[in-house]
Amino acid sequence: IMVPDLLLCLSFGYAAALRPTCLSAQFRRPGDYIIGGLFPFGTDTVNLTTRSEPTSVVCERLFVDGLIWALGMKFAIDQINNSTSLLPGVKLGYDMYDTCFEPVVALQPSLLFLTQNGTTGIGVLCNYTDYQPRVTAVIGPHKSDLCMVTAKLFSFFLIPQVSYGASSEQLSNTELYPSFYRTVASDKNLVEAVVLLLNRFGWNWIATVGSDDEYGRGAQGLFLSTAGNHSICIAFEGLIPTDLADPKAQRQLEDTIKLINTTKVNIIVLFAFSQPAQALLEQSIRMGLSEKVWIGTEAWILSDKTASTPNIQSIGTVLGFIMKARTVPGFQKYVADLFTSVQQDKFCQESREFNHLMNSDVVDTLCKECDHISLRNISSVLRHSQMQPVYIAVYSVAHALHRALGCTHHACPKASIKSWQLLHFMNTFPFMVNGQSFKFDHTHSTNTGYKLIFWSWKNGTLTYLPVGDYQDSLYIDKSQIQFHTADQKEPTSECFRHCKPGQFKQIKGFHFCCYDCTDCPENTFWSAKDSTTCTPCLEHQWSPVRSTRCYDRSEKYLFWNEPLTIALLTLMSITISLICLTAVLFLKNLETPLVQASGGKLNLFALFALTLLCLSSCLYIGKPSNTLCMIQQIVYALCLNGCFSVFFIKSLEIILVTEFPHCAPTLLHWVTQRRAWLLVALCLLTECSFCVCYLHLGPDSLQPDYKSLPTEVLLVCTTQSWLAFALMHGYNGCVAFICFLCTFMVRTSGKKYNIARGITFAILIYFIIWIFFIAIFATLKSVLKSVTQISTILAITLGILGTYYMPKCYIILLKPDLNTVDYFQNSIKEEPEEDSQ
């Protein structure tokens, strides 16, 4: 709010501003210690891109904020010089120059500040400890890219440089810039505030634009890295030109607006200074960009020039963070009085004499436009300009100098102080400014926090309305914010929703944080919030679709109490009962011609082997183990071989009688009587040798199968070596095949019993069952594998019983009249031809 004296001076200043003033002569004053100042008096360079010689760069347009910042430095130094407690008896001088927002322009006065006191040359020395430069400290410049250049120069000489606006995070590196300080916070703090604001409103689909300079690139880079850690998706990121005179600048602005429009975002974060920001907003208005929420920073949001852009209200809602800064008491009146004084000839003559003492002809101030403005021209900027950072910067140097000189509250000793001697006091001690304490932190920055302001329009008048603040946490008064939407509530700007438990982010397009929520598939689980993948379960675990945890698999094998198992056991019991009944019947009729012709006591051994074979079915029921898997096939092969060895002996007897009748009397005794048992033993020993090979090459072992069943682990015996399997069972197949060859061509007359026919059919059934068994056994992976093996055992046993033993039982029980020597004796001999006719 303007004071009454200022209002009076406004009207006077406007009337008197028709003639030039001497305001440009107010930026130099001699003193005991000179403080340099770098301020952007101008904005537009005239000959920077066209110059071919290292001549001076001219700025043609006055930048009012830069002028007010320079007046703020002058005000602070005048206050200190009039103080009786801070640097009493010491007179501070100042020497301010224009930077024109250009590093090339800022370099010239920076080099002047480094010149040896009283000269225009920079000494080249091995040791600069005793070097006395022209200035004791430097205030400014404002922009980060200018500070990047000047800070390296001043840091070499360890001259304190205090910026009032450079916020780049790179300048926090005290190793590169040991003498650089700033009275503003780093962009890192600003970015954290912006991200918290976006999170508070639930905006996670946004565009970000930065000016193509150190401030814009640095702040945008920090924002991108921070936003990604807070689930904020950047739909578009771009840079806008700072040199608006470049022919390509307009095209870049158009492309930026087009790309923003295609993303359909409702939120735009803009890190830029006022000129490029204004150019972007003007372009968005011209191209009819729909209303958005623009989140800005102090670099442009307080700019009157930006706010006065035609039809600026159509851009939507503007929110932004500005640094918390108190009003500096007396400054507005000081400026008003100064504008009155620069109209007076006597005051102007004194000012020019002071300038002459400062060797003003070395470098011009380049602020001739300052002499042609009035207080009315700067009044709107003066009302809300953030001058406090400049004010604090000057006082930080003054307090460090006060301590370095060893001043008391009453006097300061006259002493020669080198610039580098101030650094210790600036790093270590806090200082008071208008009752508020400040201290540079480990990055040489001060952080007073931020205010969140809202562009509030009423009847065409803009008000910067505070709606929140940020220090360590963010506070927002949402009721004060009237958004551009129909209901004046915050718009939505989301590319995604938070996934529910059991869902993962499935990235779509090229935006890493723009995704669909997809259910985790079977045997995977959701392990972390907003995870982009589902974690596979361990091998022994499973999970359903959209699960948040895994469950242990239950074991699956052929249980004793399963209906299928009970049915098989019942069939096995019936089969064993039939075998036992057959054995009893054969034992009771052991001396009869039928039993003797069928093999006599060898039949009892074969039936015993079949009984063991049936009982081996129990090895396939219950929880398997490596031992059980190993003995299953061995027991099966040996028991079957015991039965086949009896058939083998009987088949040899048949072949000798039918095919070799002349040799039969000599060789038959090897396959009959007691020597037949030797052949049985030899067959079994041979099979045992193959079983040993089977154990050596690779017996069946327990192999948990986690893939065949969705929720269970299948415990099955797996064949490790098919060669060993083939050798062991192939031997039985060979014995069976020999039996078949010896019996299938044998013929008898209808008056004789054909012993060979029973062996032939028994072997045929064995082969048929094994063909099906091998095909199923090699491919089946379930509990049915055990069922298949049991079924094969029982089928082979019943086949042998049905084809070889049951017909004989039928004769013994129902046709005893056929159980005669005549019917069975020589029943395997072929009849003479005449008998067959």
Side-chain angles (χ1 to χ4, degrees):
I1 299 172
M2 302 292 284
V3 294
D5 292 341
L6 177 59
L7 293 173
L8 179 65
C9 292
L10 270 172
S11 57
F12 176 78
Y14 178 69
L18 297 176
R19 62 187 183 89
T21 66
C22 60
L23 185 61
S24 61
Q26 306 308 309
F27 304 112
R28 290 193 181 99
R29 285 294 183 273
D32 299 323
Y33 302 95
I34 305 298
I35 300 177
L38 296 173
F39 297 94
F41 294 115
T43 57
D44 296 335
T45 57
V46 177
N47 58 334
L48 182 61
T49 57
T50 58
R51 69 179 193 143
S52 57
E53 297 179 1
T55 55
S56 297
V57 179
V58 179
C59 297
E60 65 176 5
R61 191 155 62 91
L62 179 68
F63 183 62
V64 177
D65 290 272
L67 171 61
I68 293 174
W69 294 334
L71 294 177
M73 176 176 172
K74 174 179 170 62
F75 171 65
I77 292 178
D78 286 349
Q79 264 194 345
I80 293 167
N81 287 338
N82 293 326
S83 173
T84 57
S85 58
L86 181 60
L87 293 174
V90 174
K91 187 173 182 62
L92 294 179
Y94 47 89
D95 201 4
M96 305 180 208
Y97 293 92
D98 186 16
T99 66
C100 203
F101 285 117
E102 288 292 343
V104 172
V105 180
L107 269 177
Q108 190 177 22
S110 298
L111 293 173
L112 177 64
F113 292 158
L114 296 176
T115 58
Q116 203 159 0
N117 197 14
T119 70
T120 57
I122 301 176
V124 179
L125 307 172
C126 294
N127 189 339
Y128 284 89
T129 302
D130 296 323
Y131 186 80
Q132 187 68 55
R134 182 185 182 92
V135 297
T136 303
V138 177
I139 305 300
H142 176 260
K143 289 183 68 177
S144 295
D145 49 354
L146 271 66
C147 288
M148 293 286 191
V149 177
T150 58
K152 290 179 180 178
L153 286 174
F154 297 131
S155 290
F156 176 76
F157 291 87
L158 292 181
I159 296 174
Q161 176 187 5
V162 188
S163 174
Y164 48 88
S167 56
S168 171
E169 177 63 16
Q170 294 187 46
L171 292 168
S172 297
N173 190 336
T174 55
E175 292 184 1
L176 285 178
Y177 311 105
S179 67
F180 178 81
Y181 300 83
R182 54 186 170 193
T183 53
V184 294
S186 162
D187 285 334
K188 183 179 180 181
N189 301 85
L190 174 64
V191 163
E192 289 173 352
V194 172
V195 169
L196 286 176
L197 173 66
L198 295 172
N199 280 336
R200 187 67 58 86
F201 285 105
W203 295 327
N204 53 39
W205 179 239
I206 67 165
T208 174
V209 181
S211 52
D212 194 7
D213 52 25
E214 182 57 40
Y215 168 71
R217 290 189 300 269
Q220 190 179 61
L222 279 172
F223 176 74
L224 293 175
S225 61
T226 307
N229 296 329
H230 289 78
S231 300
I232 296 174
C233 186
I234 309 301
F236 169 78
E237 56 178 287
L239 296 173
I240 52 177
T242 54
D243 184 8
L244 300 176
D246 190 335
K248 298 179 181 178
Q250 186 65 27
R251 182 61 181 271
Q252 284 182 261
L253 292 170
E254 290 178 4
D255 291 343
T256 300
I257 297 299
K258 287 179 182 177
L259 289 169
I260 290 174
N261 197 39
T262 57
T263 61
K264 303 187 184 306
V265 298
N266 289 324
I267 313 298
I268 303 172
V269 180
L270 178 57
F271 298 102
F273 284 103
S274 57
Q275 277 188 298
Q278 180 185 354
L280 181 68
L281 294 174
E282 287 176 347
Q283 189 63 40
S284 70
I285 294 169
R286 280 195 296 270
M287 295 180 66
L289 184 68
S290 59
E291 291 181 310
K292 310 289 183 186
V293 175
W294 295 80
I295 299 177
T297 64
E298 189 173 343
W300 66 270
I301 203 167
L302 294 179
S303 170
D304 273 356
K305 197 162 182 56
T306 303
S308 60
T309 301
N311 205 22
I312 189 67
Q313 296 182 50
S314 66
I315 66 172
T317 304
V318 178
L319 292 168
F321 288 97
I322 64 172
M323 192 177 67
K324 283 183 181 178
R326 297 181 181 179
T327 302
V328 178
F331 177 61
Q332 294 191 16
K333 184 177 186 305
Y334 175 84
V335 173
D337 292 342
L338 181 63
F339 268 85
T340 302
S341 300
V342 295
Q343 315 266 341
Q344 301 171 6
D345 294 336
K346 181 179 180 181
F347 181 83
C348 290
Q349 181 62 33
E350 291 176 355
S351 298
R352 295 186 180 98
E353 291 176 359
F354 284 133
N355 281 345
H356 181 70
L357 294 174
M358 294 288 296
N359 296 323
S360 59
D361 57 331
V362 176
V363 179
D364 197 2
T365 62
L366 302 178
C367 189
K368 297 303 181 184
E369 295 84 358
C370 295
D371 293 337
H372 302 281
I373 63 169
S374 67
L375 185 59
R376 185 184 181 90
N377 299 134
I378 68 168
S379 59
S380 60
V381 180
L382 184 63
R383 280 196 297 270
H384 57 72
S385 179
Q386 297 282 65
M387 195 276 291
Q388 190 186 33
V390 179
Y391 188 75
I392 297 171
V394 175
Y395 268 85
S396 69
V397 173
H399 278 280
L401 182 60
H402 183 93
R403 292 188 174 101
L405 288 170
C407 300
T408 65
H409 288 293
H410 305 289
C412 286
K414 298 292 183 181
S416 176
I417 291 294
K418 304 297 186 293
S419 298
W420 56 267
Q421 292 178 291
L422 302 184
L423 299 180
H424 167 71
F425 300 100
M426 296 186 73
N427 293 337
T428 313
F429 297 98
F431 55 94
M432 298 292 295
V433 180
N434 291 335
Q436 188 177 2
S437 178
F438 296 91
K439 187 179 186 299
F440 293 111
D441 60 20
H442 67 284
T443 64
H444 293 179
S445 306
T446 62
N447 182 13
T448 57
Y450 296 94
K451 285 193 298 184
L452 177 63
I453 64 167
F454 163 63
W455 275 16
S456 177
W457 294 92
K458 288 185 179 178
N459 301 323
T461 303
L462 173 62
T463 303
Y464 300 107
L465 182 65
V467 292
D469 60 73
Y470 172 76
Q471 183 71 49
D472 297 320
S473 61
L474 178 64
Y475 164 75
I476 304 175
D477 184 0
K478 293 185 179 181
S479 63
Q480 295 289 320
I481 305 174
Q482 296 179 346
F483 288 94
H484 59 270
T485 53
D487 58 359
Q488 295 188 339
K489 300 294 184 181
E490 66 266 20
T492 59
S493 189
E494 292 182 301
C495 178
F496 63 87
R497 54 188 174 85
H498 289 290
C499 295
K500 295 179 180 178
Q503 294 182 321
F504 72 99
K505 303 177 190 175
Q506 188 170 33
I507 308 300
K508 60 180 181 180
F510 57 91
H511 299 297
F512 76 94
C513 57
C514 187
Y515 55 81
D516 292 324
C517 291
T518 305
D519 292 346
C520 288
E522 289 182 349
N523 297 324
T524 64
F525 71 101
W526 174 78
S527 59
K529 186 178 181 181
D530 292 334
S531 175
T532 56
T533 58
C534 293
T535 305
C537 293
L538 297 176
E539 193 177 37
H540 66 278
Q541 295 178 320
W542 74 281
S543 67
V545 174
R546 196 173 171 178
S547 178
T548 58
R549 56 166 293 190
C550 289
Y551 304 90
D552 289 333
R553 291 176 178 267
S554 59
E555 294 177 337
K556 182 64 176 177
Y557 47 85
L558 195 60
F559 290 93
W560 289 93
N561 58 353
E562 289 187 35
L564 186 58
T565 306
I566 295 172
L568 290 172
L569 289 173
T570 302
L571 181 60
M572 182 192 74
S573 302
I574 294 172
T575 304
I576 292 174
S577 299
L578 290 173
I579 295 171
C580 292
L581 289 174
T582 302
V584 170
L585 190 61
F586 269 57
L587 181 62
K588 189 175 180 180
N589 298 275
L590 186 62
E591 300 301 328
T592 63
L594 184 150
V595 176
Q596 289 298 318
S598 300
K601 293 181 180 179
L602 288 175
N603 284 312
L604 298 178
F605 177 77
L607 290 170
F608 175 71
L610 288 178
T611 304
L612 293 180
L613 182 62
C614 283
L615 289 173
S616 72
S617 299
C618 297
L619 297 175
Y620 301 92
I621 303 173
K623 185 175 181 179
S625 64
N626 284 324
T627 304
L628 277 177
C629 291
M630 180 178 64
I631 66 174
Q632 282 173 357
Q633 300 300 326
I634 294 175
V635 171
Y636 172 76
L638 288 173
C639 292
L640 190 61
N641 186 262
C643 180
F644 281 176
S645 63
V646 174
F647 289 171
F648 177 66
I649 292 168
K650 195 63 184 175
S651 298
L652 289 179
E653 181 184 351
I654 292 170
I655 197 69
L656 284 173
V657 172
T658 58
E659 299 297 331
F660 306 99
H662 301 292
C663 301
T666 306
L667 299 175
L668 273 176
H669 66 278
W670 287 100
V671 293
T672 58
Q673 305 304 323
R674 295 182 179 179
R675 292 185 181 181
W677 290 101
L678 291 176
L679 285 177
V680 171
L682 182 62
C683 287
L684 286 171
L685 285 174
T686 305
E687 181 63 42
C688 286
S689 66
F690 283 114
C691 289
V692 172
C693 291
Y694 165 78
L695 292 174
H696 178 72
L697 292 175
D700 288 8
S701 62
L702 177 63
Q703 185 67 46
D705 181 5
Y706 298 101
K707 297 180 180 179
S708 298
L709 301 175
T711 64
E712 298 167 308
V713 52
L714 182 62
L715 300 180
V716 292
C717 296
T718 304
T719 302
Q720 300 297 318
S721 171
W722 284 100
L723 174 61
F725 184 88
L727 286 174
M728 185 171 60
H729 293 291
Y731 173 68
N732 279 336
C734 290
V735 171
F737 186 66
I738 293 171
C739 293
F740 180 78
L741 290 178
C742 292
T743 59
F744 87 101
M745 290 293 290
V746 174
R747 292 180 299 167
T748 62
S749 68
K751 299 178 181 179
K752 302 292 183 181
Y753 181 78
N754 193 342
I755 296 292
R757 187 185 303 162
I759 297 176
T760 302
F761 282 114
I763 298 303
L764 276 175
I765 288 176
Y766 165 75
F767 280 128
I768 291 170
I769 292 173
W770 256 82
I771 289 171
F772 285 101
F773 168 73
I774 291 296
I776 298 172
F777 183 78
T779 57
L780 202 60
K781 289 186 178 180
S782 68
V783 290
L784 295 178
K785 192 171 186 179
S786 297
V787 173
T788 302
Q789 290 176 301
I790 296 172
S791 300
T792 301
I793 291 171
L794 296 178
I796 290 173
T797 305
L798 288 171
I800 293 172
L801 275 177
T803 57
Y804 189 77
Y805 288 103
M806 286 298 111
K808 297 172 178 57
C809 292
Y810 171 78
I811 293 173
I812 293 173
L813 293 174
L814 301 178
K815 298 287 184 177
D817 56 298
L818 296 178
N819 192 0
T820 62
V821 174
D822 182 59
Y823 190 65
F824 286 97
Q825 188 175 21
N826 298 327
S827 62
I828 55 176
K829 293 181 181 180
E830 290 186 347
E831 294 293 330
E833 187 175 344
E834 61 271 19
D835 292 340
S836 63
Q837 292 179 353

